[in-house]
Amino acid sequence: MLSNYRTLWISDVHLGTNACRAEDLIRFLTEVSADRIYLTGDIVDLEKMKTKAIFPDAHRNVLARFFQLAQSGTEVIYVPGNHDSQMRELAGKEIYGVPVMLEATHKMADGRRLLVTHGDLLDPLIRQGTGLEQFGAAAYRMLVHLDVMINQLRSRLGQDYVPVSSRIKRRLNSANEYIRRFEETAAEHAGARGYDGIVCGHIHRPCIRNIGETQYANDGDWVEHRSALIESQTGALQILQWKPAGCAIETVPQASPLAA
Ligand SMILES: [Mn+2]
């Protein structure tokens, strides 16, 4: 059964690495359609491909699907991230009907304006207080990378993914502190520029919450969470998660803010 949404945001697919859950994303895209799709960065992991490049059929099929959608009436917009930052040089141009933009402004059904950006450009804006907080940021980035490596190993062994580090991440207070600061910085940045909210990816943590007056939304990733953000036809934001076990899409309850 195909659900058609007003808008769909997908990021952090990391095509070109074993960590990418390309088959799941293809199945997800057969169940979900949207009038407009934002590809919000780290779609192809050109960074990792510099050292080791894989590109199996499933990965090609994901790209083919996006271009096919763009050719057949879906508005597809590509906002590159830090792992596909080379594509930022194509900003202002189109690839097979997909415009490339450094950032985008999304107008919601209710008229609110959201800044759409990958999120890596926010990292330098995050106020780094103590050494412990700086450690948290570094530890978090390392754990995201660890997830990718464990996942690669397990898929080589033919086992499904176990998000070991997501448990560690949740327990690591300094990493939680980094996430909280990232989310707050994102909302502050968008608010200061006159936006009603922000949609980003980058930290691999799906979330929808209000921070002050500003809407913060993160579409997650297709390495660990297999998640996407949608705007319904009536303008409600929601996170969808693909559950490979049941081949089903579940809606994720609004993420509770992390403990301060
Ligand atoms: Mn990123």
Side-chain angles (χ1 to χ4, degrees):
M1 194 174 57
L2 191 74
S3 309
N4 184 62
Y5 298 106
R6 189 168 185 271
T7 321
L8 171 66
W9 288 267
I10 291 172
S11 79
D12 300 87
V13 182
H14 294 276
L15 292 170
T17 72
N18 278 314
C20 169
R21 307 273 54 105
E23 295 86 353
D24 291 322
L25 179 53
I26 289 165
R27 284 183 213 117
F28 175 81
L29 289 169
T30 61
E31 309 255 342
V32 164
S33 69
D35 303 337
R36 176 183 293 153
I37 299 177
Y38 290 98
L39 302 173
T40 42
D42 290 4
I43 303 301
V44 180
D45 198 328
L46 298 171
E47 269 319 294
K48 289 239 168 56
M49 288 177 75
K50 281 181 191 165
T51 47
K52 183 176 184 280
I54 62 143
F55 224 80
D57 286 348
H59 294 214
R60 281 172 222 282
N61 292 342
V62 169
L63 286 184
R65 183 83 188 120
F66 289 140
F67 289 125
Q68 186 191 7
L69 287 166
Q71 305 286 331
S72 55
T74 305
E75 191 183 349
V76 183
I77 296 161
Y78 176 32
V79 179
N82 51 318
H83 286 255
D84 47 8
S85 61
Q86 293 91 329
M87 303 306 280
R88 285 179 173 150
E89 285 166 32
L90 296 177
K93 300 195 170 71
E94 277 192 9
I95 314 172
Y96 298 116
V98 177
V100 182
M101 303 175 85
L102 295 179
E103 60 179 36
T105 298
H106 175 69
K107 208 164 174 201
M108 293 183 72
D110 61 12
R112 285 187 296 161
R113 288 166 66 251
L114 303 180
L115 172 63
V116 179
T117 184
H118 176 64
D120 59 296
L121 300 171
L122 298 164
D123 273 331
L125 305 178
I126 297 175
R127 275 193 300 274
Q128 302 282 8
T130 64
L132 184 68
E133 284 154 6
Q134 287 178 31
F135 168 77
Y140 185 78
R141 288 189 203 108
M142 194 198 76
L143 283 166
V144 168
H145 187 66
L146 184 71
D147 259 330
V148 172
M149 287 194 301
I150 291 171
N151 202 358
Q152 279 173 348
L153 183 66
R154 290 187 66 90
S155 69
R156 224 170 283 151
L157 299 171
Q159 294 167 298
D160 197 17
Y161 176 74
V162 177
V164 180
S165 67
S166 75
R167 259 172 293 170
I168 305 171
K169 270 184 274 181
R170 272 195 288 276
R171 283 192 199 157
L172 197 70
N173 285 333
S174 54
N176 283 339
E177 181 60 23
Y178 165 68
I179 293 166
R180 198 172 64 80
R181 278 168 179 269
F182 177 90
E183 294 176 349
E184 288 172 1
T185 302
E188 273 168 29
H189 175 75
R193 291 177 55 188
Y195 285 94
D196 300 297
I198 184 165
V199 178
C200 55
H202 185 51
I203 59 169
H204 294 203
R205 186 184 184 278
C207 178
I208 301 174
R209 67 178 177 114
N210 290 312
I211 300 175
E213 302 277 280
T214 308
Q215 174 77 67
Y216 171 84
N218 193 304
D219 59 14
D221 61 275
W222 286 84
V223 172
E224 177 186 340
H225 295 94
R226 302 168 166 98
S227 61
L229 178 77
I230 58 103
E231 179 193 11
S232 71
Q233 293 295 348
T234 55
L237 292 177
Q238 205 165 36
I239 288 163
L240 303 182
Q241 198 169 22
W242 177 257
K243 297 284 179 182
C247 272
I249 295 169
E250 285 180 10
T251 56
V252 178
Q254 292 260 330
S256 55
L258 292 160

